Amino acid sequence: RMPASVPETDRRHRASAAFSLSFLSLVFSITAFGSSYWCEGTRKVAKPFCTGESKGDLCIRFNSPDANNSQAVQYIWETGDDKFVERKFHAGIWYSCEETINEEGEKCRSFISLTPASDRGVLWLSIVAELLYVIFLLMGNILMSVEMCYYSSVIDGLKINAFSAVVTVLAGLLGMVAHMMYTTVFQMTVNLGPEDWRPHTWDYGWSYCLAWASFACCMAAAVTTINKYTKTILEFKHKRKKLERSLKIKYKFPDH
């Protein structure tokens, strides 16, 4: 078997790099889409009254040893910020969870139900765009893998390469729009959402960073694919010019 030429080897390397970036983008996007750590923070909630044997700083204490005696005068010692406790929460596209006081585990509820009615349409558009983003990334991965295994015709490989570049660019645009729409919806929910959910402090979580890392890998894969397509076309044009030049010389000086 003849060894592969330098341009062909370079094309293989570029195809492998584009496929690796696209596959990484797909994994990141699916992980981020299914998680609930797009935003993290704390909520300031009022402490419950201490009942039974519950003690400590997570409930409001009375001075009376007999809490069940209704005739006893009871004083609450906590004042100001001491009457509140901070609970951690995290939210994603699908649901929002927060830790419970004096209990293990978390309490979760649908993020769509927390969103103001005027912004739910934007949230659904964000979800649809995220789904299309994942689907287009999957299509791009399939096309790139077919191109890497399809050696019979360079022309057919170029057609697949061009189509995978278009699909990957569309995926990147959808991902960017989806992430920006979710960011807008979350900020509106922080300002106009239910009183029993509004966070005291919040910041973007690892899922949000992973979603934008997926977008970066997607665009890098698209640029690599387009660069590979352009370079292959230029190589064909260069070979064609060389062939035309050699034919002209052969026509002017034919062999006797």
Side-chain angles (χ1 to χ4, degrees), residues 133-150:
Y133 174 52
V134 173
I135 292 170
F136 274 76
L137 277 176
L138 183 60
M139 287 175 59
N141 272 269
I142 293 171
L143 288 169
M144 289 178 189
S145 61
V146 168
E147 183 197 354
M148 288 173 63
C149 303
Y150 196 73

Side-chain angles (χ1 to χ4, degrees), residues 47-110:
K47 294 179 182 177
F49 293 112
C50 294
T51 56
E53 297 180 356
S54 59
K55 296 179 180 179
D57 298 329
L58 298 179
C59 60
I60 296 177
R61 300 183 301 274
F62 297 97
N63 72 323
S64 173
D66 187 8
N68 295 322
N69 188 357
S70 60
Q71 296 179 351
V73 178
Q74 300 174 357
Y75 296 97
I76 299 173
W77 295 105
E78 285 81 356
T79 59
D81 287 341
D82 293 334
K83 291 167 57 178
F84 297 92
V85 63
E86 289 188 347
R87 288 197 293 187
K88 293 181 180 178
F89 85 98
H90 54 89
I93 292 177
W94 298 107
Y95 51 90
S96 173
C97 297
E98 61 185 49
E99 61 182 2
T100 55
I101 302 176
N102 295 326
E103 294 179 12
E104 295 183 357
E106 294 179 327
K107 181 180 71 174
C108 297
R109 45 186 165 170
S110 170

Side-chain angles (χ1 to χ4, degrees), residues 123-135:
L123 180 60
W124 279 112
L125 283 175
S126 173
I127 292 172
V128 171
E130 284 284 352
L131 284 170
L132 289 174
Y133 174 52
V134 173
I135 292 170

Side-chain angles (χ1 to χ4, degrees), residues 7-77:
E8 185 181 349
T9 306
D10 183 56
R11 282 196 295 270
R12 294 279 178 83
H13 288 161
R14 288 174 185 272
S16 299
F19 175 76
S20 300
L21 287 167
S22 182
F23 182 76
L24 201 62
S25 176
L26 179 64
V27 172
F28 285 172
S29 64
I30 293 174
T31 305
F33 188 58
S35 67
S36 62
Y37 286 86
W38 285 63
C39 299
E40 300 177 77
T42 58
R43 287 190 59 243
K44 185 178 282 189
V45 296
K47 294 179 182 177
F49 293 112
C50 294
T51 56
E53 297 180 356
S54 59
K55 296 179 180 179
D57 298 329
L58 298 179
C59 60
I60 296 177
R61 300 183 301 274
F62 297 97
N63 72 323
S64 173
D66 187 8
N68 295 322
N69 188 357
S70 60
Q71 296 179 351
V73 178
Q74 300 174 357
Y75 296 97
I76 299 173
W77 295 105

